[in-house]
């Protein structure tokens, strides 16, 4: 009897031991798969959480850019945490801090202005979260604070605008008076588009900027500032150089209300190549727009995935761009994506 009891107990003990072992085993296998997935597999095959701090919704360009990013992140199966800064730097700093607190996998950031982001970018770096600059860059010495900058060459855009004007006015004898609508003060496109334009016209002393003021990249402000230009210099203005199409479109309205013909009495140069500019060109109210392509969402997602998969990526990735004139507008308008 005793022997029988002893045997039963051994059997029970062995069964308990087997149960314990199999439990350990199954949790051990799960753990290995998990850790295997995060170390062995590339990060790019995982669902990523991407924080995107956008400048705002100030222009047609910006709306197209936001959509391109949202669509690309969704199509890749990642999660987007989106924040609209409403053109305010303090909102961007808050958004980046909140992305850090939420431990996102990557931060995409389109800076409103060029300076003043060192501290928050250092915080992201300390937290081990890679930052990708989209569209606009920053003026910061330490370039280890971001992985790459994907965006347009704004200086070149300014040069293209000026080169068009040089060609267009080559037979003019007297001065050509230009008014300039600048983008947001302190922003990379405003600084660079001015620089590129001035670099070219400085060799043509008859091309003169007689007035230059910010229109903050919006239609409403572009119209308001153009009204002020017309009030003070009315019949003396030959050319408007607007740092984006939205301001140019606002200004076109002001010019018409003043009783002049935009595109004829005053030549209109814009930047972005948005649909609104093509419509204005097709109507003969705008002369040229330099392309600034906002549809780089898929390219940005590729860069994030490549970086997180451990691939080496370029510090500066450019977006390819062109330039369009009035005579191409009607034909190209139906195919414009933004
Ligand atoms: O940074 C790109 C510029 O920002 C676009 O040219 C302008 O339209 C936008 O608001």
């Amino acid at each position: 009897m005793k022997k029988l009891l002893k045997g039963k107990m051994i059997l029970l003990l062995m069964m308990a031991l087997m149960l314990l072992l199999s439990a350990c085993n199954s949790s051990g296998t799960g753990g290995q798969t998990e850790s295997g997935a995060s170390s062995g597999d590339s990060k790019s095959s995982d669902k990523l959480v991407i924080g995107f701090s956008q400048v705002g919704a100030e222009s047609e360009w910006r709306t197209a850019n936001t959509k391109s990013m949202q669509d690309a992140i969704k199509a890749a199966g990642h999660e987007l945490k989106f924040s609209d800064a409403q053109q305010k730097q303090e909102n961007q700093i808050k958004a980046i801090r909140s992305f850090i607190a939420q431990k996102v996998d990557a931060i995409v950031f389109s800076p409103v202005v060029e300076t003043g982001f060192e501290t928050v970018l250092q915080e992201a770096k300390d937290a081990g979260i890679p930052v990708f600059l989209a569209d606009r860059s920053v003026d910061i010495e330490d370039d280890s604070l971001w992985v790459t900058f994907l965006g347009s060459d704004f200086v070149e855009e300014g040069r293209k605008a000026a080169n068009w004007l040089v060609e267009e006015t080559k037979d003019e004898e007297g001065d050509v008076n230009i008014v300039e609508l600048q983008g947001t003060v302190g922003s990379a496109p405003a600084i660079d588009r001015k620089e590129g334009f001035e670099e070219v016209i400085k060799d043509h002393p008859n091309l003169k900027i007689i007035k230059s003021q910010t229109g903050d990249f919006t239609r409403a402000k572009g119209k308001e500032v153009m009204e002020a230009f017309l009030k003070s210099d009315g019949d003396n203005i030959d050319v408007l150089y607007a740092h984006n199409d939205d301001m140019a479109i606002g200004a076109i309205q002001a010019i018409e209300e003043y009783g002049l013909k935009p595109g004829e009495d005053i030549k209109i140069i814009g930047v972005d190549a948005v649909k609104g500019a093509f419509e204005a060109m097709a109507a003969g109210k705008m002369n040229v727009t330099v392309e600034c392509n906002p549809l780089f969402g898929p390219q940005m997602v590729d860069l994030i995935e490549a970086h997180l998969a451990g691939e080496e990526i370029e510090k500066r990735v450019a977006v390819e761009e062109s330039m369009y004139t009035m005579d191409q507008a009607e034909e190209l308008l139906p195919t414009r994506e933004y």
Side-chain angles (χ1 to χ4, degrees):
M1 187 67 179
K2 255 188 181 173
K3 249 187 182 175
L4 206 71
L5 265 175
K6 205 174 165 189
K8 266 190 179 169
M9 273 180 71
I10 290 173
L11 198 72
L12 277 171
L13 268 172
M14 277 176 71
M15 277 168 71
L17 200 68
M18 274 168 71
L19 271 172
L20 199 71
L21 271 175
S22 93
C24 282
N25 235 353
S26 70
S27 80
T29 313
Q32 259 176 7
T33 311
E34 264 174 40
S35 67
S38 58
S39 59
D41 294 0
S42 70
K43 205 48 169 123
S44 64
S45 61
D46 295 346
K47 177 177 171 159
L48 302 172
V49 179
I50 300 172
F52 176 29
S53 168
Q54 177 62 290
V55 169
E58 74 284 4
S59 60
E60 267 190 64
W61 188 99
R62 190 64 56 194
T63 310
N65 178 245
T66 299
K67 186 168 182 321
S68 172
M69 288 290 298
Q70 285 169 333
D71 290 351
I73 290 172
K74 194 171 166 208
H78 302 315
E79 183 187 330
L80 170 67
K81 291 191 183 296
F82 180 75
S83 172
D84 176 341
Q86 296 173 342
Q87 300 232 69
K88 292 200 175 72
Q89 178 168 42
E90 64 265 31
N91 290 346
Q92 291 206 293
I93 294 174
K94 266 190 226 151
I96 295 172
R97 290 210 167 111
S98 136
F99 295 150
I100 298 170
Q102 293 174 74
K103 297 186 169 46
V104 298
D105 296 302
I107 293 173
V108 178
F109 166 44
S110 193
V112 177
V113 289
E114 283 191 329
T115 54
F117 289 106
E118 283 90 341
T119 311
V120 76
L121 292 185
Q122 186 62 54
E123 289 167 23
K125 187 181 170 185
D126 294 345
I129 301 175
V131 172
F132 295 77
L133 297 178
D135 160 43
R136 299 180 181 181
S137 192
V138 285
D139 186 8
I140 294 176
E141 193 91 348
D142 180 5
D143 70 0
S144 74
L145 296 180
W146 63 93
V147 176
T148 186
F149 163 43
L150 168 64
S152 308
D153 184 340
F154 298 135
V155 179
E156 184 55 25
E157 290 169 355
R159 287 190 201 112
K160 281 183 187 165
N163 280 323
W164 177 85
L165 186 61
V166 168
E167 183 58 27
E168 180 71 10
T169 56
K170 64 176 189 282
D171 299 325
E172 304 254 339
E173 304 222 313
D175 284 350
V176 174
N177 293 331
I178 305 162
V179 293
E180 180 183 33
L181 280 171
Q182 294 183 40
T184 303
V185 176
S187 70
I191 295 166
D192 294 353
R193 285 173 188 162
K194 186 168 185 51
E195 183 190 319
F197 191 83
E198 286 178 350
E199 179 193 304
V200 173
I201 66 162
K202 77 171 186 323
D203 296 329
H204 304 270
N206 65 320
L207 301 182
K208 292 193 161 67
I209 298 181
I210 57 165
K211 284 262 150 66
S212 180
Q213 209 179 303
T214 182
D216 210 15
F217 282 131
T218 67
R219 280 187 196 201
K221 207 69 203 299
K223 181 168 187 268
E224 188 187 309
V225 178
M226 191 68 204
E227 280 165 355
F229 287 164
L230 288 161
K231 208 167 174 191
S232 60
D233 288 271
D235 302 328
N236 212 13
I237 302 171
D238 302 305
V239 176
L240 163 69
Y241 168 43
H243 288 189
N244 82 344
D245 291 336
D246 280 77
M247 291 190 293
I249 292 164
I252 286 171
Q253 233 184 302
I255 295 167
E256 286 180 319
E257 283 170 16
Y258 185 80
L260 291 175
K261 282 193 176 148
E264 278 182 38
D265 298 327
I266 298 178
K267 301 241 185 281
I268 313 286
I269 307 171
V271 182
D272 280 351
V274 295
K275 262 197 190 137
F278 276 78
E279 282 158 6
M281 290 196 296
K285 297 178 181 182
M286 186 163 167
N287 303 79
V288 66
T289 180
V290 178
E291 187 178 40
C292 179
N293 186 359
L295 307 179
F296 54 70
Q299 216 177 336
M300 180 55 88
V301 170
D302 285 351
L303 288 169
I304 295 170
E305 289 178 348
H307 173 75
L308 292 175
E311 282 173 40
E312 192 78 28
I313 61 174
E314 298 284 325
K315 204 78 200 169
R316 171 75 172 99
V317 182
V319 179
E320 275 194 17
E321 274 142 6
S322 190
M323 191 168 91
Y324 305 98
T325 49
M326 211 184 234
D327 50 311
Q328 301 169 285
E330 220 162 324
E331 189 195 329
L332 294 177
L333 184 55
T335 61
R336 288 306 289 168
E337 283 182 71
Y338 66 95

